[in-house]
Amino acid sequence: MTDPTTSNISPDASASTGISIGGLLRSPASGAFMGFAVVFIIFSVFGFGRNFLSVPGVTTWVNYASLVGIIAIPVGFLMIAGELDISTGAVLPASTMTVAIVSGHYEMPVLVGVIAALSVGAAIGFVNGFIVTRTQVPSFIVTLATLFAVAGLTLYLSILFINTTNSFYHAPDWAKSLFGGKFYGFNSSVFWWFGLICGFVFFLHYSPKGSWVFALGGDQGSAHNAGIPVKRLKIGLFMLCSMSTAFAGVLQVITFNSATSQANFGLIFNTIISVVVGGVLLTGGFGTVIGIVFGALTLAIVTQAIGFTNIDRNLSFLIIGVMLLIAVLMNDTFRKVATNWSASKKK
Amino acid sequence: MSSKKPILELRNVDKSFGPIDVLDNISLNVSEGEVLCLLGDNGAGKSTLIKTLAGVHQPSSGEILMDGQPTSFASPRDAQERGIATVHQFGGTYPLMSIGRNFFMGSEPTKGFGPFKIFDRAKANRIAVDEVQKMGITRITDGDRLVGGLSGGERQSLAIARAVFFGARVLILDEPTAALGVKQAAHVLRIVNEAKKRGLAVIFTTHQVMHAMAVGDHFAVLIRGAIAADFRKGDKSREEIADLMAGGESMADLEANIENRTESHSGHAPQSNA
Ligand SMILES: Nc1ncnc2c1ncn2[C@@H]1O[C@H](COP(=O)(O)OP(=O)(O)OP(=O)(O)O)[C@@H](O)[C@H]1O
Ligand SMILES: [Mg+2]
C-alpha cells in the first residue's frame, strides 16, 4: 500500500459494497440485459396496439422461455466449462415418450414415469460425459452422435412398445397442477424455471464449486493441477444438462398432454442462441446464469411474440440472426472492459 | 544439513509416456529447511519430475517416500492435502476469473452452513490481495479484478503467492522466475529463503545460474531424464554448475560457437531461410 495513487482506496472497498457501476458493467449479464431491453422496447412499440403487453401476449413468450431456459442454463454451464451439448434435441423427446409410455400406456403412477424420464436423462448425460472425459473426441461430435443414437432409439422403442411415434398422456389432477397447470396464464414450468434459476445461480455464482466450472473452461490443465476433479465435474455437468432437459420434457408432456418421438432439432439452436445471446463466451470460462435467462427471454420474444406486433412474422429469423451477431460482438467488447476494469482505476 | 530428515524422497523412479521414457532411475531427496534446485536443459525432464511429486503423474516404477513412509499421490488434490503446493511452469491462472477466485481455486473459503455454504468473496479477495502485495506486487489492490488484465509477471507472482500460502510442508516452483523482472525475481528468491527458514522443503527449477546459486543448498542436474550430478552448495564452482546446466556442454564452447556462427556470416546474424 505504498503506492500513492492507491493509498486512499481501501482494497476492501469494492468487495464489501458488492454492487458498483463497474461491477455491473463487467458482468456478462449486462450485455444480455441490454439486448433484452432493446428488443422488449421495440416489440412494445410495434406491438402496442396488438396485445404484446397483454396477459396472453406476455404469458406466451414467458411460457416458451421457461421450457427453453430450463435447458439453456445447464447448456450454458457446459459452455462455460468449455463443452457443447447438442444431444438435448433427442433427450427431450426421449423424456416425453418415456412418461407417455410408462405412465400413459402402462398406467404406472405419474411419479414412476417422471423418475423413469429423469433416469433416462441421467443415463444419456453420463454416457456423454463419460465418452468426453475418456477420449479426445470433442463434445460437439460426441453429443452429435448421441443426438442421433438417442433419436433413433426413441423412435424404435416407441414403435416397439406402443406401435406409434406420438402418444397422449393425461396426468392426474394433482400432477397436472404441479407440473402442467396454469396460474394467471403462466404455466407451471415458469415457476419451476424460477426455482431452478435460484438453484443454478447459487451453484454457479455462490457455491465454492461454481469457480471450478469456470476453471474448466479457463484452463483445464491448471484446474486438474489445482486438484479439481475435472472428470467427475464434467460428467456431473453433462448429467445435469440431460436431466434438466428430461425435466423440461416432463413439464412439456404434462402441460400439453401429448408426446412425440421426433427429434427436436430446433431446441438445439434455441438453447445455444439463448446461451450466446446471454453473454456466455463460446470458448468457455465466462458467463452468468442471469445472462442466459435474459437470452432465453429475448429469444422467446422474437420467435413467439412477433404475432402480437405489427412486425412481419417472417422477419423473426432475420432478427435472431442479426441479434446473435450483435451479441457475439458485444460480448467481446464487454469482456475487454471486464478484463481491464479495476476498482482502483475508475476508468 | 544431512542430519535433517528428508521429507520427500524418490527411489529409482522411472516415468514413461507410452513408448517415450522421460525419467530414468531418479533417486533424490529433499529435507525440511532445504532448497533443492533442479537444473537441466530444455526437455531434460524437470517439469515431469515435478509433476510426479505434485500428484499429476504417477511414476511408472520406483517409490516415493514421504517422511520415510512409502506413499503415492493419487491426484494433485491428494498431494496438496499432504502439504505439497506446486506452481507449474505454464498456466495456473484463469484469465477471466477474479484475483480472489484464482487464488483460492480448488480450496475455496466459505461462509454459511450445511448445503448453503457460499464462497466467501470478501475474505478471498482480502487474503489474495495481501499475499500478492507481500510478493512486491503493490499495484494489485482489488481482488475482484480479472486476472486477464494483469501482466505475465503479476500473474506468475499470484500463482507463487498462492502456493506459498497453501504450502504447508513442501513448496515446488517450476521456473518461478522465468517471467519476472529483476526486482520481482529477487522477491521470489527471498520468499524461497523465508519458506526454507520456516522449515519447508523447497524444490525449484531455473535456467539462471545466478538464481540457483542464490538460494540452492542442494543441486541435482538432469540430463535426458537421468540424474547426471547431485551435489551440495559449495561442492562445485559456478562455472561447473553453468556447464552442467547447459546439459554438460561447456559454456565456453557454446560461447565460441555463437561467435563462429556470427563470423561465418560476415558479421551479420544469419538470415533464416527455412
Ligand atoms: N505427457 C507427455 N507425453 C509424452 N511426452 C511428454 C509428456 N510430458 C513431457 N514429455 C516429454 O518429456 C520430456 C521432458 O519434458 P519436461 O517438460 O519434463 O522438460 P523440462 O526439463 O521441464 O524442460 P523445460 O526446461 O523446457 O521446461 C520432453 O521431451 C517432453 O516431450
Ligand atoms: Mg519444464
Side-chain angles (χ1 to χ4, degrees):
Chain A
M1 295 304 292
T2 49
D3 191 339
T5 58
T6 57
S7 55
N8 54 349
I9 296 162
S10 143
D12 278 349
S14 68
S16 50
T17 53
I19 296 169
S20 66
I21 302 290
L24 281 180
L25 263 182
R26 70 174 148 181
S27 161
S30 41
F33 174 74
M34 280 158 58
F36 168 78
V38 167
V39 167
F40 183 82
I41 290 167
I42 293 176
F43 274 62
S44 301
V45 169
F46 283 98
F48 195 70
R50 300 197 52 182
N51 297 329
F52 173 74
L53 291 174
S54 68
V55 171
V58 172
T59 54
T60 298
W61 54 268
V62 173
N63 285 339
Y64 178 83
S66 66
L67 283 178
V68 173
I70 286 172
I71 306 168
I73 297 172
V75 166
F77 284 4
L78 278 168
M79 199 180 282
I80 292 171
E83 305 291 347
L84 199 57
D85 186 354
I86 61 169
S87 66
T88 51
V91 176
L92 189 80
S95 159
T96 61
M97 284 313 281
T98 305
V99 175
I101 292 172
V102 172
S103 297
H105 186 75
Y106 289 104
E107 298 182 349
M108 308 266 246
V110 58
L111 277 184
V112 175
V114 171
I115 291 169
L118 292 180
S119 312
V120 166
I124 299 167
F126 181 80
V127 170
N128 282 336
F130 187 81
I131 299 176
V132 167
T133 51
R134 301 298 141 131
T135 65
Q136 302 292 320
V137 184
S139 49
F140 173 72
I141 302 297
V142 171
T143 56
L144 182 63
T146 49
L147 169 72
F148 278 90
V150 171
L153 198 61
T154 307
L155 281 169
Y156 174 80
L157 292 176
S158 299
I159 297 289
L160 189 71
F161 281 115
I162 56 174
N163 202 23
T164 165
T165 55
N166 297 299
S167 185
F168 297 94
Y169 171 60
H170 291 275
D173 284 346
W174 68 267
K176 178 76 184 173
S177 50
L178 182 61
F179 296 116
K182 261 203 192 317
F183 304 88
Y184 301 100
F186 291 106
N187 290 343
S188 303
S189 58
V190 174
F191 302 94
W192 281 103
W193 187 34
F194 185 77
L196 287 172
I197 289 170
C198 296
F200 287 144
V201 166
F202 176 79
F203 169 71
L204 191 69
H205 301 299
Y206 292 96
S207 85
K209 292 194 169 55
S211 286
W212 301 5
V213 177
F214 289 94
L216 281 193
D219 181 349
Q220 194 176 313
S222 294
H224 179 250
N225 290 346
I228 288 162
V230 170
K231 287 184 178 168
R232 253 190 300 148
L233 181 60
K234 220 171 240 189
I235 292 174
L237 289 175
F238 273 105
M239 288 177 70
L240 179 71
C241 186
S242 296
M243 287 176 76
S244 299
T245 310
F247 185 64
V250 167
L251 296 173
Q252 189 179 324
V253 67
I254 294 178
T255 305
F256 302 109
N257 301 325
S258 72
T260 173
S261 43
Q262 298 297 326
N264 187 341
F265 293 108
L267 176 70
I268 302 168
F269 294 110
N270 288 336
T271 50
I272 293 176
I273 290 168
S274 303
V275 168
V276 173
V277 169
V280 175
L281 187 61
L282 271 162
T283 47
F286 200 57
T288 56
V289 172
I290 297 303
I292 302 171
V293 170
F294 283 120
L297 287 170
T298 314
L299 173 90
I301 291 181
V302 178
T303 57
Q304 303 301 306
I306 202 155
F308 293 96
T309 67
N310 296 321
I311 304 168
D312 189 326
R313 177 175 272 286
N314 296 327
L315 287 178
S316 119
F317 282 171
L318 173 72
I319 299 174
I320 299 238
V322 172
M323 214 171 65
L324 193 61
L325 271 180
I326 295 177
V328 174
L329 294 174
M330 274 213 330
N331 290 349
D332 232 40
T333 323
F334 270 99
R335 207 172 58 257
K336 288 209 184 83
V337 172
T339 303
N340 296 326
W341 186 85
S342 158
S344 55
K345 281 201 189 155
K346 297 258 157 65
K347 283 194 184 169
Chain B
M1 284 282 171
S2 50
S3 62
K4 286 180 178 163
K5 280 201 316 253
I7 296 186
L8 268 181
E9 187 174 354
L10 296 176
R11 279 194 197 152
N12 308 104
V13 166
D14 294 323
K15 175 71 195 169
S16 38
F17 297 101
I20 311 163
D21 296 326
V22 177
L23 296 180
D24 176 20
N25 201 21
I26 304 279
S27 296
L28 259 184
N29 65 65
V30 58
S31 308
E32 48 190 43
E34 182 187 78
V35 179
L36 167 65
C37 274
L38 279 178
L39 309 173
D41 206 3
N42 290 131
K46 303 180 296 294
S47 296
T48 308
L49 180 56
I50 277 173
K51 284 181 183 158
T52 310
L53 291 171
V56 177
H57 297 320
Q58 275 68 49
S60 308
S61 67
E63 266 191 319
I64 302 182
L65 292 88
M66 190 163 188
D67 299 316
Q69 299 296 314
T71 186
S72 70
F73 303 118
S75 66
R77 159 141 288 181
D78 191 15
Q80 266 166 38
E81 274 163 7
R82 282 146 83 181
I84 302 176
T86 310
V87 178
H88 293 280
Q89 187 172 8
F90 300 110
T93 56
Y94 312 88
L96 295 172
M97 298 182 73
S98 74
I99 289 169
R101 285 196 183 255
N102 263 276
F103 192 91
F104 284 97
M105 181 55 66
S107 319
E108 291 77 6
T110 55
K111 59 183 179 192
F113 51 89
F116 299 107
K117 280 205 183 71
I118 67 168
F119 177 75
D120 191 342
R121 177 167 143 258
K123 180 177 173 190
N125 287 355
R126 182 166 28 80
I127 296 175
V129 168
D130 280 358
E131 296 298 317
V132 175
Q133 294 215 344
K134 279 191 210 157
M135 301 284 302
I137 309 285
T138 46
R139 285 188 53 210
I140 292 179
T141 52
D142 173 15
D144 274 330
R145 240 180 108 182
L146 302 189
V147 163
L150 307 182
S151 80
E154 286 169 338
R155 281 202 220 180
Q156 177 77 338
S157 302
L158 175 67
I160 296 168
R162 176 185 195 279
V164 170
F165 184 78
F166 285 107
R169 304 203 58 207
V170 183
L171 180 61
I172 305 182
L173 306 169
D174 196 355
E175 297 195 25
T177 56
L180 300 187
V182 177
K183 209 169 89 199
Q184 282 76 15
H187 265 291
V188 169
L189 296 177
R190 206 190 67 215
I191 275 159
V192 166
N193 257 330
E194 274 169 14
K196 165 179 141 177
K197 279 197 205 110
R198 278 190 286 137
L200 269 77
V202 184
I203 300 175
F204 118 109
T205 73
T206 178
H207 288 289
Q208 302 223 300
V209 195
M210 283 279 291
H211 295 169
M213 298 288 287
V215 291
D217 300 306
H218 175 181
F219 301 82
V221 182
L222 285 177
I223 295 182
R224 266 173 270 114
I227 296 206
D230 184 346
F231 54 93
R232 304 214 145 252
K233 187 174 190 149
D235 289 355
K236 283 200 183 353
S237 74
R238 197 173 141 178
E239 283 67 34
E240 283 174 300
I241 296 176
D243 291 351
L244 281 164
M245 285 176 73
E249 290 172 62
S250 111
M251 254 341 244
D253 285 354
L254 286 177
E255 269 162 25
N257 247 333
I258 298 167
E259 293 288 314
N260 287 342
R261 197 156 161 74
T262 327
E263 262 164 34
S264 66
H265 289 81
S266 53
H268 297 287
Q271 297 285 311
S272 163
N273 52 6

